[in-house]
Amino acid sequence: KMVDPTLAEMGKNLNEAMKMLEDNQRKVEEENEKKYTRKDIPGPLQGSGQDMVSILQLVQNLMHGEEEEETSQSYRLQNVGEQGHMALLGHSLAAYISVLDREKLRKLTTRILSDTTLWLCRLFRYENGSAYYHEDDREGLLKICRLVIHTRYEDYTLEGFNVLYTKQPVIYISSAARTGLGQALCNQLGLPLSCMCRVPCNTMFGSQHQMDVALLDRLIKDDVEFGKLPLLLVANAGTPGAGHTDKLGRLKELCEQYKMWLHVEGVNLATLALGYVSSSVLAATKCDSMTLTLGSWLGLPAVPAVTLYRHEDPSLSLAAGLMSSQPVEKLRALPLWLSLQYLGHDGIVERIKHASQLSQRLLENLKNLDFIKTSVEDELSSPVVVFKFFQEYSNRDQTSHSAQASTIPHPITSNERHIYDTFNQWLGEQLAQLVPASGVDVVELEDEGTCVRFSPLMTSAVLGTEIQDIDQLVDCLKMKIPVLTSTLQLREEFEQEVRRTVGLLYIEDLGWPGLGVVRYNYHSDGKNDDKQEKELEKINTELLKKLNELESDLTFSLGPEFGGQKNCVYIGMVTEDLDVSELVETIAATGREIEENSRLLENMTEVVRKGIQEAQLQLQKANEERLLEEGLLRQIPVVGSVLNWFSPFQASPKGRTFNLTAGSLESTESMYVSKAQGTGSTPPPTPTSSIAKQRLPGQKAFKRSLRSSDGFSETSSISHCDDLDKLDQRPPNLSPGQEQGPLEMERAEEQSEVAQAKTDTEDIHKLPPDCTKAEDQASQR
């Protein structure tokens, strides 16, 4: 049909207008949606997502951060190795395999789980065992406890905690076990802490870190008499601190007697993979369960820990959580399955053997060092080496002590032990900082106190520790031992010198690894406590600054950031050539100098303030006297100028000057007479320390000459200096070995008088003409 052109044009315009309106509305809605997105949705999720490069760059920034990493962390990341890449690949494959169909997934996970379990049982001599793979190394022991509860309490599945209430279970754990293990087990099992029994270690015979079997037997008998049920014993094949192994053979017999479950854990279990295994560790193969941490032993990142156990009832294992019907959970063994195949038997043995060799190398070197005490088992196969610095805290002969330091224990007081703990803490931190590849750390032991621990099975595979790192560690230790011995010997002398010195206060801080702590004692003049405390802080801060400006090998600081004393000077480690008396005298003199300068400034401020007030009064009085002298008419503006023109008023200038030295106002009349400003009295000299000891070129402060270093004693060196002074004072024409007789002395005096007269005559000729004329006139008069 024909359409009216006017209507067609009108319809076209209407469509365009509606389209424009709709577009505007759509733009408004999109802008509102964008505003909502930017406001409520985090940045990385906005838009259509991020590309892979941006996401990986973000991960890299989060891993490394903006600041530079510490040496140990960067070194750890560089030594992941190819075997570590296989473990990381296992996690990715596990996620990929989990999307397979159920039947294929079941067959694959069963194969992986059975292979890994068989390999581990063969490697670590644990025949006919089952395996449970877990992320937390304590989770395996937790599931074993539940398995034992299900086994010993038949009605536990139906009755729950009611059966535990009638006969309370008891779990025995060594006092040398890792901290918090017993409490964690009780919390996870829902048991009271009374169900946990800590067994002390040997105190009379054997290792100080082995469980006391006789005492354990008595504890079990007592619990049975009280109607309790001995449930499980946790033993150690390598304690977390010292790496000692319990008497596993006797403990197994005791557990069989009381129908208890024996669980073993520890770093020494890794040596079961070696060809030769010590009898103490080999007894662990007869235990009911053991936990292996292969990740740290072999340097495999993110691989699970494994708990091997023997039990005949799969249903109870399933009820305890040691087995799972979910195929995905069985894929936990996949990273370990790949890594074990990549390393092979030789690679696994080589890594464990290398760690043992590192321990033996360090132990052999430590035996040849004085003042180093080791704490190891009777067998030399333990891969953990624990040592500490130890010196008899007395002034006995060092040579005789060094031969007895590792054999005869010397009783020490609590303060002395605290000092040793502090020094060994410092030693461990220094060694870890100087040789980060060694992986040494500081450990607190119940009997030995603070020690330095080297456990290569836990660190060497990750850090890549080699034999040369152990040699470097021994060299650093040799350098630190003289510093430790010197500081320990000079601490008492420093304390006595400080206590004898007026103005210094000795602060006893047993937790400071150094010579000691001293405070300059501010002499208060009736000031309140707040002001005195501020003055004390100001003086000791300035004292610390002055001491650090001296050229010395000592370190002066404010002490530790937390727990240190305020307003004190902490002195670090020292060497044997330290002159303690000079050091203390310098500290006292510098403190007095700072205090006197502070007092001089305060006094001068007070004098200036009083002088200003007095000057104001005298100026006011001078104005009043001027009014009386000039009269009232001279003060009128017009009349005064006319009167001064006809009859000028002659007034002598009167001024005042303030003498800072005398602290008083003086008249300036003498200045107008002599037309020169008087100097007044000489100001007092600025107090300075009078202990500036003459040192040889290049000699540091607080150093004294060692008797054995230069081949002569201090007395001979002093007399030699006196001879040099006398040699400089003799006449020029006298040879060094010639003595002066009476005639020679008389001639020398005559020569000196003639030389002096000649010098005076030359000085007179050098005077200006006016001065020469004045002297001639004076001589004529």
Side-chain angles (χ1 to χ4, degrees), residues 768-781:
D770 297 337
C771 297
T772 307
K773 292 179 182 179
E775 290 184 358
D776 294 341
Q777 294 175 3
S779 61
Q780 292 175 3
R781 292 174 184 174

Side-chain angles (χ1 to χ4, degrees), residues 16-243:
E16 292 179 355
M18 294 299 297
K19 185 177 180 181
M20 292 176 61
L21 292 176
E22 291 177 356
D23 290 342
N24 292 334
Q25 182 66 24
R26 190 179 300 108
K27 290 180 180 180
V28 172
E29 293 177 356
E30 290 179 355
E31 290 179 358
N32 293 334
E33 185 177 357
K34 289 181 179 179
K35 291 180 181 179
Y36 172 79
T37 302
R38 286 195 299 269
K39 181 178 179 181
D40 297 330
I41 301 300
L45 301 184
Q46 294 180 6
S48 58
Q50 305 291 327
D51 58 313
M52 181 65 68
V53 177
S54 300
I55 296 174
L56 293 179
Q57 184 66 38
L58 176 61
V59 173
Q60 181 178 356
N61 295 336
L62 294 176
M63 289 174 58
H64 298 283
E66 297 180 357
E67 300 180 356
E68 295 183 358
E69 287 187 342
E70 297 181 358
T71 306
S72 60
Q73 295 178 353
S74 61
Y75 198 86
R76 183 182 297 269
L77 291 175
Q78 293 174 2
N79 286 274
V80 173
E82 294 184 2
Q83 73 276 6
H85 294 165
M86 293 298 296
L88 299 177
L89 177 63
H91 290 276
S92 301
L93 287 178
Y96 178 74
I97 293 174
S98 63
V99 300
L100 297 176
D101 61 273
R102 190 173 184 84
E103 184 62 24
K104 291 183 178 180
L105 180 62
R106 185 187 62 81
K107 291 181 180 180
L108 182 58
T109 53
T110 302
R111 171 67 182 274
I112 293 173
L113 191 63
S114 59
D115 286 350
T116 310
T117 303
L118 176 63
W119 297 342
L120 291 176
C121 290
R122 292 289 176 86
L123 282 172
F124 295 97
R125 307 170 187 264
Y126 197 81
E127 299 296 334
N128 300 325
S130 302
Y132 172 65
Y133 304 89
H134 46 93
E135 302 297 333
D136 188 357
D137 54 358
R138 297 176 299 183
E139 186 179 355
L141 178 58
L142 174 64
K143 297 297 177 64
I144 290 296
C145 291
R146 289 178 177 172
L147 174 63
V148 180
I149 290 176
H150 279 279
T151 304
R152 298 299 300 274
Y153 295 92
E154 297 180 357
D155 297 333
Y156 180 75
T157 305
L158 300 176
E159 300 293 334
F161 70 91
N162 289 327
V163 296
L164 303 180
Y165 179 77
T166 57
K167 200 169 187 179
Q168 180 178 343
V170 182
I171 300 175
Y172 300 91
I173 187 171
S174 173
S175 59
R178 46 183 164 169
T179 306
L181 178 61
Q183 185 176 1
L185 290 177
C186 290
N187 292 339
Q188 294 295 325
L189 296 172
L191 299 176
L193 291 179
S194 58
C195 293
M196 189 62 55
C197 179
R198 294 180 61 86
V199 183
C201 295
N202 291 342
T203 56
M204 296 298 294
F205 304 101
S207 170
Q208 298 296 323
H209 304 276
Q210 289 181 339
M211 192 182 304
D212 193 336
V213 182
L215 181 57
L216 174 63
D217 190 9
R218 291 197 298 268
L219 291 175
I220 295 176
K221 290 180 179 179
D222 294 340
D223 292 333
V224 172
E225 292 178 359
F226 280 100
K228 298 181 180 180
L229 179 63
L231 192 67
L232 181 140
L233 172 63
V234 182
N236 292 295
T239 55

Side-chain angles (χ1 to χ4, degrees), residues 601-768:
L601 182 60
E602 290 181 0
N603 295 336
M604 186 176 296
T605 304
E606 184 67 20
V607 168
V608 171
R609 185 181 64 82
K610 293 182 179 180
I612 293 174
Q613 295 178 356
E614 185 179 354
Q616 291 176 350
L617 295 176
Q618 292 191 12
L619 289 175
Q620 183 179 0
K621 184 178 180 181
N623 289 333
E624 294 176 356
E625 293 177 355
R626 185 172 60 85
L627 289 176
L628 294 177
E629 291 179 0
E630 296 180 359
L632 183 60
L633 292 177
R634 294 184 183 273
Q635 307 304 320
I636 301 175
V638 179
V639 178
S641 59
V642 175
L643 185 58
N644 288 331
W645 185 73
F646 283 104
S647 176
F649 180 78
Q650 298 294 334
S652 60
K654 296 181 179 180
R656 296 291 185 270
T657 179
F658 183 73
N659 192 341
L660 289 175
T661 303
S664 61
L665 287 173
E666 298 176 358
S667 176
T668 58
E669 185 177 358
S670 59
M671 295 183 188
Y672 289 100
V673 173
S674 62
K675 296 183 179 181
Q677 186 175 358
T679 57
S681 58
T682 304
T686 303
T688 56
S689 58
S690 60
I691 45 80
K693 185 177 180 181
Q694 294 183 355
R695 293 188 297 269
L696 298 175
Q699 183 180 0
K700 298 292 185 67
F702 316 125
K703 295 288 185 180
R704 57 180 174 82
S705 300
L706 295 179
R707 293 182 174 88
S708 59
S709 60
D710 297 332
F712 55 86
S713 63
E714 295 180 4
T715 307
S716 62
S717 63
I718 295 175
S719 61
H720 180 66
C721 295
D722 295 340
D723 294 338
L724 290 176
D725 295 338
K726 294 179 181 179
L727 185 63
D728 295 336
Q729 294 176 1
R730 68 173 181 267
N733 56 356
L734 190 63
S735 61
Q738 182 179 357
E739 296 183 355
Q740 292 183 353
L743 182 59
E744 287 78 2
M745 295 178 61
E746 183 177 355
R747 291 179 179 177
E749 291 178 358
E750 292 178 359
Q751 292 177 1
S752 63
E753 291 178 358
V754 172
Q756 183 65 32
K758 184 178 180 180
T759 304
D760 296 341
T761 306
E762 292 177 354
D763 294 339
I764 292 174
H765 289 298
K766 292 180 182 179
L767 292 175

Side-chain angles (χ1 to χ4, degrees), residues 240-524:
H244 290 197
T245 302
D246 292 326
K247 298 178 177 63
L248 299 179
R250 295 182 58 188
L251 292 178
K252 178 59 179 176
E253 296 174 359
L254 195 62
C255 290
E256 291 178 351
Q257 178 182 351
Y258 292 100
K259 298 181 180 179
M260 294 172 55
W261 185 284
L262 177 60
H263 178 82
V264 181
E265 59 181 21
V267 68
N268 291 351
L269 292 175
T271 59
L272 290 172
L274 300 178
Y276 170 77
V277 186
S278 63
S279 58
S280 59
V281 180
L282 189 61
T285 58
K286 305 299 181 181
C287 65
D288 298 302
S289 61
M290 65 170 63
T291 298
L292 311 175
T293 55
L294 298 170
S296 58
W297 299 349
L298 304 178
L300 303 176
V303 297
V306 185
T307 296
L308 302 178
Y309 66 97
R310 296 190 185 97
H311 199 266
E312 298 177 355
D313 193 346
S315 61
L316 294 182
S317 300
L318 182 64
L322 290 170
M323 298 177 63
S324 176
S325 60
Q326 299 295 327
V328 177
E329 293 187 7
K330 298 180 181 179
L331 289 175
R332 290 180 180 175
L334 181 57
L336 198 56
W337 184 73
L338 294 174
S339 300
L340 292 178
Q341 293 183 81
Y342 179 83
L343 291 174
H345 178 263
D346 294 340
I348 296 172
V349 173
E350 179 62 29
R351 278 162 174 77
I352 299 175
K353 186 177 180 180
H354 176 67
S356 300
Q357 291 174 351
L358 293 176
S359 298
Q360 296 302 315
R361 180 63 171 264
L362 178 60
L363 187 60
E364 291 174 359
N365 286 276
L366 292 179
K367 290 181 179 180
N368 300 325
L369 296 180
D370 296 334
F371 310 113
I372 293 297
K373 179 181 178 182
T374 58
S375 175
V376 294
E377 288 185 286
D378 296 335
E379 296 86 4
L380 300 178
S381 60
S382 176
V384 181
V385 178
V386 177
F387 62 93
K388 63 180 296 186
F389 165 76
F390 182 80
Q391 179 186 8
E392 187 177 0
Y393 201 79
S394 63
N395 295 325
R396 298 182 182 178
D397 184 46
Q398 297 182 12
T399 305
S400 61
H401 167 67
S402 61
Q404 303 174 1
S406 60
T407 57
I408 302 178
H410 299 277
I412 58 176
T413 63
S414 59
N415 288 347
E416 293 170 358
R417 174 169 178 172
H418 200 163
I419 293 175
Y420 279 123
D421 291 346
T422 302
F423 277 39
N424 283 283
Q425 177 78 24
W426 177 85
L427 177 61
E429 293 174 356
Q430 289 291 313
L431 294 178
Q433 182 179 0
L434 294 174
V435 193
S438 64
V440 295
D441 59 349
V442 180
V443 62
E444 295 286 342
L445 300 180
E446 184 176 358
D447 296 320
E448 284 84 354
T450 304
C451 300
V452 183
R453 178 179 59 185
F454 176 66
S455 181
L457 274 174
M458 303 300 293
T459 59
S460 64
V462 177
L463 298 178
T465 310
E466 299 294 339
I467 295 294
Q468 55 267 24
D469 297 323
I470 303 303
D471 297 338
Q472 183 182 359
L473 179 68
V474 175
D475 293 338
C476 294
L477 185 59
K478 291 179 180 179
M479 291 189 300
K480 296 300 179 182
I481 289 176
V483 177
L484 292 169
T485 55
S486 302
T487 306
L488 187 62
Q489 292 173 1
L490 294 176
R491 278 178 70 101
E492 185 176 356
E493 181 181 352
F494 176 76
E495 178 181 356
Q496 294 176 358
E497 288 288 340
V498 171
R499 295 189 185 277
R500 286 197 299 261
T501 304
V502 179
L504 295 183
L505 180 63
Y506 180 80
I507 305 299
E508 186 176 10
D509 190 349
L510 301 179
W512 172 249
L515 184 64
V517 186
V518 65
R519 173 188 296 163
Y520 183 78
N521 196 11
Y522 178 76
H523 302 287
S524 60

